[in-house]
Amino acid sequence: MSQRPSEPHSPGQWLLAFWFAHWHLARLPRDTDRLARAAWCRDHCGTFAARWFILALVLILIQTSPLGTLFVIGGTPMLILLFLPAFLIAIAHVAWQIISQRRAGPPRIDPPQEWDDQDDDRRF
């Protein structure tokens, strides 16, 4: 499955591409069938979810550290308010991956390769 030809993207488009799987799915060729789209999501949504989980973790760690007092405005910890959407978006990406794996099935696994045991003994 090929992507559309890449053109230079603005910084805003690059950020959308880095954080959201939907941005990529919207740019797949129109003739791509649902199974191929589900396979792409199964293979890549985990990466997007990991990015959002890391962002949520960093937000919560900064807010609970002594540096977090800088982000308290009017008695409300601001980074905690940003933590919840980041965590929910990460959960949404995980849910998309699970649903896509249910549709597309597990990824194809390459057959085992023949191994020459004699070559291994000579390395040690």
Side-chain angles (χ1 to χ4, degrees):
M1 172 175 24
S2 65
Q3 297 266 343
R4 291 182 187 171
S6 63
E7 61 266 355
H9 298 299
S10 68
Q13 288 179 329
W14 184 87
L15 283 172
L16 288 173
F18 185 78
W19 289 106
F20 295 101
H22 181 70
W23 189 90
H24 294 279
L25 288 171
R27 279 151 186 76
L28 288 177
R30 296 287 178 211
D31 59 348
T32 306
D33 64 339
R34 290 184 67 184
L35 189 62
R37 294 170 68 85
W40 186 93
C41 192
R42 172 200 64 204
D43 296 338
H44 295 91
C45 276
T47 303
F48 293 101
R51 291 173 184 166
W52 282 102
F53 277 127
I54 290 171
L55 176 64
L57 179 68
V58 166
L59 288 171
I60 202 81
L61 288 176
I62 291 174
Q63 187 66 64
T64 57
S65 73
L67 183 62
T69 58
L70 296 174
F71 301 103
V72 175
I73 299 174
T76 305
M78 290 294 133
L79 296 183
I80 298 292
L81 297 177
L82 296 175
F83 162 79
L84 186 60
F87 186 74
L88 291 176
I89 293 171
I91 294 297
H93 277 93
V94 170
W96 292 339
Q97 184 178 21
I98 291 169
I99 291 168
S100 296
Q101 182 156 354
R102 192 172 297 154
R103 287 182 186 159
R108 188 180 66 83
I109 299 175
D110 294 331
Q113 300 294 320
E114 290 297 321
W115 190 265
D116 188 10
D117 290 335
Q118 293 176 350
D119 288 343
D120 266 357
D121 294 338
R122 283 186 273 165
R123 284 190 298 165
F124 299 109

